[in-house]
Amino acid sequence: MTSSRAGSILLRRAGSRLFTAAAVSPAAASRPLLAGGNNGVQAVMVRLMSTSSPAAASEAKDEAAKAPKEGGDKKAVVINSYWGIEQNNKLVRDDGTEWKWTCFRPWETYTADTSIDLTRHHEPKTLMDKIAYWTVKSLRFPTDIFFQRRYGCRAMMLETVAAVPGMVGGMLLHLRSLRRFEQSGGWIRALLEEAENERMHLMTFMEVAKPRWYERALVITVQGVFFNAYFLGYLLSPKFAHRVVGYLEEEAIHSYTEYLKDLEAGKIENVPAPAIAIDYWRLPANATLKDVVTVVRADEAHHRDVNHFASDIHYQGMQLKQSPAPIGYH
């Protein structure tokens, strides 16, 4: 008997046992398989087929739904995919209404501390501090010329830049931690918190100021230049990079203060606050744009303190990991 013929006979005999329902013993049938008995087999088939093609997955789910359920009163568990990942759509606000945001969750919201000192300023004394200070000051002139008193678009541009340093710093500290097998003192999380907070500022002002096509083009250009410049600057001198951000945040405070003056003077309409801002900062339902600018300015003041603090740590000859990070400070 040839090997191919022997294999064919073996496959026919084994196949009848493997794929015949009668071959399953009562004891094995009574044991649950993932979901229980034969229904467990069907659940496995649904999972396996859902990764192959949508049509096959849908057909398999329909077959599983038609299968008789044991116990009668048990509810069928619907599995969305092979991995069993399900989206929690039952999040609600404090008043019981449905939470509609997927870009942030209720536990990521907070009430801004608007009592922070807005006038605090780091006086540049060293040569590096002076370079950082005048670098930021020089960037203000073209911004004033381009946007003038259009503070909504100015804020949009500012936030696309302000959200970069936290991400770059957090990323580089993350890679450093991996390379050196060391902890970061919480600074990775603190800087990424800053980046996410600045991004939420942008999401808010996108609802207020509708950018024009050339402003979007400017954002792409400025972000591309600034990201690479800051990335290189952080590699060369973290204390210089953090000092630049500290002064950049001081300028942001000034810009938002001017924004508030125009709102109070009636030069800019004090429209109702965007819904995303009301939920993110836990503002009252009748909050206005003035309330939004006030809490955003407070956030910028906190970022100012964090970055000047980080630069001071480096000036003292220490690494950031040697001083606990102000997590959740904003």
Side-chain angles (χ1 to χ4, degrees):
M1 182 184 297
T2 63
S3 58
S4 60
R5 183 178 179 184
S8 176
I9 294 173
L10 179 61
L11 181 60
R12 286 199 300 272
R13 292 182 178 179
S16 62
R17 296 185 179 183
L18 289 173
F19 300 102
T20 302
V24 182
S25 66
S30 64
R31 290 196 299 268
L33 178 59
L34 295 184
N38 291 335
N39 288 341
V41 176
Q42 292 164 352
V44 172
M45 293 303 296
V46 170
R47 285 174 170 243
L48 292 176
M49 296 181 72
S50 64
T51 59
S52 56
S53 67
S58 178
E59 183 179 353
K61 288 182 181 179
D62 292 340
E63 291 297 326
K66 294 178 182 178
K69 301 180 180 61
E70 294 182 1
D73 58 343
K74 294 182 180 179
K75 295 181 179 180
V77 177
V78 179
I79 300 173
N80 294 335
S81 70
Y82 173 84
W83 309 107
I85 298 174
E86 296 184 12
Q87 180 66 44
N88 185 359
N89 294 321
K90 298 181 180 180
L91 296 177
V92 295
R93 300 183 180 89
D94 293 337
D95 59 2
T97 57
E98 182 181 358
W99 185 264
K100 66 176 182 177
W101 310 106
T102 56
C103 54
F104 66 101
R105 297 301 189 181
W107 52 85
E108 296 171 333
T109 64
Y110 65 99
T111 301
D113 178 16
T114 56
S115 64
I116 189 170
D117 184 3
L118 300 172
T119 62
R120 191 180 301 161
H121 167 64
H122 182 277
E123 193 66 32
K125 297 179 181 179
T126 66
L127 177 61
M128 186 171 292
D129 281 357
K130 292 177 180 179
I131 294 174
Y133 178 77
W134 288 110
T135 298
V136 173
K137 281 294 184 182
S138 65
L139 295 175
R140 179 177 169 180
F141 295 112
T143 305
D144 288 342
I145 294 173
F146 186 82
F147 291 105
Q148 297 181 1
R149 308 293 293 185
R150 296 172 56 238
Y151 285 107
C153 294
R154 186 190 187 108
M156 180 201 66
M157 168 61 75
L158 177 65
E159 300 304 342
T160 62
V161 173
V164 170
M167 181 59 66
V168 172
M171 176 187 68
L172 291 176
L173 287 180
H174 175 73
L175 296 176
R176 179 191 181 96
S177 176
L178 296 179
R179 290 195 310 270
R180 300 193 176 187
F181 309 100
E182 62 185 19
Q183 51 87 18
S184 70
W187 279 95
I188 296 173
R189 181 177 174 184
L191 293 177
L192 293 182
E193 274 186 354
E194 176 186 318
E196 175 64 9
N197 181 245
E198 297 283 10
R199 191 184 67 84
M200 288 305 299
H201 292 178
L202 174 63
M203 296 297 102
T204 297
F205 283 110
M206 285 292 292
E207 299 294 326
V208 176
K210 305 299 181 182
R212 301 167 185 174
W213 69 268
Y214 58 84
E215 291 172 336
R216 290 177 178 270
L218 181 62
V219 165
I220 295 173
T221 304
V222 171
Q223 188 183 87
V225 173
F226 183 74
F227 174 88
N228 288 282
Y230 190 81
F231 180 84
L232 180 60
Y234 203 99
L235 287 175
L236 297 176
S237 177
K239 64 182 177 183
F240 174 77
H242 282 294
R243 191 68 80 201
V244 166
V245 179
Y247 288 130
L248 186 65
E249 299 295 359
E250 290 184 15
E251 288 299 320
I253 295 170
H254 173 76
S255 294
Y256 285 120
T257 299
E258 293 297 312
Y259 197 171
L260 283 172
K261 288 180 180 178
D262 281 3
L263 283 168
E264 293 170 351
K267 296 179 181 179
I268 299 176
E269 184 181 0
N270 190 23
V271 298
I276 191 172
I278 292 175
D279 282 337
Y280 183 68
W281 282 284
R282 301 175 188 170
L283 297 174
N286 61 346
T288 63
L289 179 58
K290 180 181 175 181
D291 299 317
V292 174
V293 175
T294 300
V295 294
V296 170
R297 183 178 62 172
D299 286 351
E300 305 295 4
H302 285 88
H303 299 325
R304 169 204 63 192
D305 294 349
V306 169
N307 281 277
H308 280 317
F309 174 54
S311 184
D312 288 345
I313 293 173
H314 284 290
Y315 266 105
Q316 295 171 18
M318 298 188 298
Q319 298 292 328
L320 291 182
K321 65 177 182 179
Q322 296 176 260
S323 179
I327 296 175
Y329 181 60
H330 71 267

